[in-house]
């Protein structure tokens, strides 16, 4: 069943990612005939169009998962990927307004002592590395039993996605990528 505008607004308020005053100003600026005033899906779309929310945030709020959009000092913007141990999210530091990537351990992995130890070893190792071919680690923390590593966010696609989209690299491009990876691994 679709949400009412009031229900969506309540969920948005509970998520705490868009200040009430900002939302009220946004809503007041909508024309009286705007479909966003009476349709929650249109309201969500308009918030995304006007860059008040990301598409991911709007979807999570609509699904009632707005509480998962903050993690300590970070506001979650998007989901970048997922693996066996957890997921990687794009986020923004609340005060610094710096975009970061956050690797979050899955709740199932946290329950496994060996997996948690491996994650903590990864965090400690990442903290010691500073190199142009290695993503920098900025922070690590635990909030409400959610363990996470905050890393530098690098705009763009990963190598696998680029090859899927554009096909195999020519020799020169492939060699450049291999050299960069080798320099990071050597370090």
């Amino acid at each position: 069943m679709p949400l009412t505008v009031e229900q969506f607004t309540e969920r948005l308020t509970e998520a705490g990612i868009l200040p009430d005053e900002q939302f009220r100003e946004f809503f007041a600026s909508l024309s009286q005939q705007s479909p966003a005033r009476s349709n929650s899906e249109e309201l969500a779309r308009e918030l995304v169009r006007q860059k008040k929310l990301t598409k991911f945030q709007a979807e999570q709020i609509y699904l009632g998962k707005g509480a998962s959009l903050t993690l300590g000092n970070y506001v979650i913007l998007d989901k970048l990927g997922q693996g066996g141990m957890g997921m990687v999210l794009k986020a923004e530091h609340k005060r610094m307004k710096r975009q970061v990537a956050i690797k979050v351990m899955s709740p199932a992995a946290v329950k496994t002592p060996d997996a948690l130890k491996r994650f903590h070893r990864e965090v400690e190792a990442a903290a010691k590395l500073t190199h142009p071919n290695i993503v920098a680690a900025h922070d690590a923390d635990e909030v409400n039993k959610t363990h996470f590593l905050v890393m530098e966010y690098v705009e763009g696609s990963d190598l696998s996605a680029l090859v899927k989209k554009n096909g195999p690299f020519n020799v020169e491009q492939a060699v450049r990528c291999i050299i960069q990876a080798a320099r990071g691994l050597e370090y």
Side-chain angles (χ1 to χ4, degrees), residues 131-134 175-187:
H131 188 272
N133 298 111
I134 300 174
V175 168
R176 272 197 307 252
C177 291
I178 291 168
I179 288 171
Q180 289 177 39
R183 284 180 179 150
L185 288 169
E186 177 188 37
Y187 182 77

Side-chain angles (χ1 to χ4, degrees), residues 1-22:
M1 184 169 96
L3 295 177
T4 65
V5 168
E6 292 75 20
Q7 290 169 321
F8 181 82
T9 302
E10 185 177 312
R11 288 181 180 185
L12 177 61
T13 301
E14 288 170 1
I17 60 171
L18 182 65
D20 288 342
E21 187 172 315
Q22 253 189 1

Side-chain angles (χ1 to χ4, degrees), residues 29-170:
S29 74
L30 296 173
S31 75
Q32 292 298 322
Q33 292 77 31
S34 172
R37 286 185 158 273
S38 59
N39 181 303
S40 60
E41 288 181 29
E42 286 299 323
L43 176 59
R45 282 188 195 97
E46 190 59 31
L47 284 161
V48 171
R49 268 193 294 273
Q50 292 197 26
K51 299 188 184 315
K52 304 289 184 193
L53 295 178
T54 66
K55 184 178 178 191
F56 178 78
Q57 290 171 327
E59 289 168 352
Q60 293 301 298
I61 290 167
Y62 201 88
L63 294 171
K65 298 179 181 178
S68 68
L69 292 173
T70 56
L71 191 56
N73 287 318
Y74 301 92
V75 175
I76 307 303
L77 302 173
D78 202 359
K79 181 177 174 181
L80 299 174
Q82 185 152 359
M85 292 279 288
M87 68 177 81
V88 179
L89 304 164
K90 181 178 177 182
E92 183 176 81
H93 191 279
K94 290 177 184 177
R95 184 169 294 128
M96 297 172 76
K97 303 298 183 202
R98 174 173 57 190
Q99 290 191 354
V100 296
I102 300 181
K103 183 175 188 177
V104 180
M105 280 194 77
S106 72
V110 170
K111 292 177 186 172
T112 309
D114 286 344
L116 192 55
K117 283 180 191 174
R118 254 191 338 270
F119 183 76
H120 287 163
R121 279 196 309 269
E122 178 186 342
V123 165
E124 289 173 16
K128 295 174 185 173
L129 301 174
T130 304
H131 188 272
N133 298 111
I134 300 174
V135 171
H138 292 307
D139 192 12
D141 207 349
E142 174 193 349
V143 174
N144 299 324
K145 298 183 183 177
T146 300
H147 295 257
F148 59 97
L149 169 62
V150 181
M151 304 169 289
E152 171 186 13
Y153 173 72
V154 180
E155 188 72 45
S157 298
D158 63 37
L159 189 57
S160 176
L162 287 172
V163 171
K164 283 179 186 172
K165 181 181 177 186
N166 303 320
F169 284 4
N170 65 41

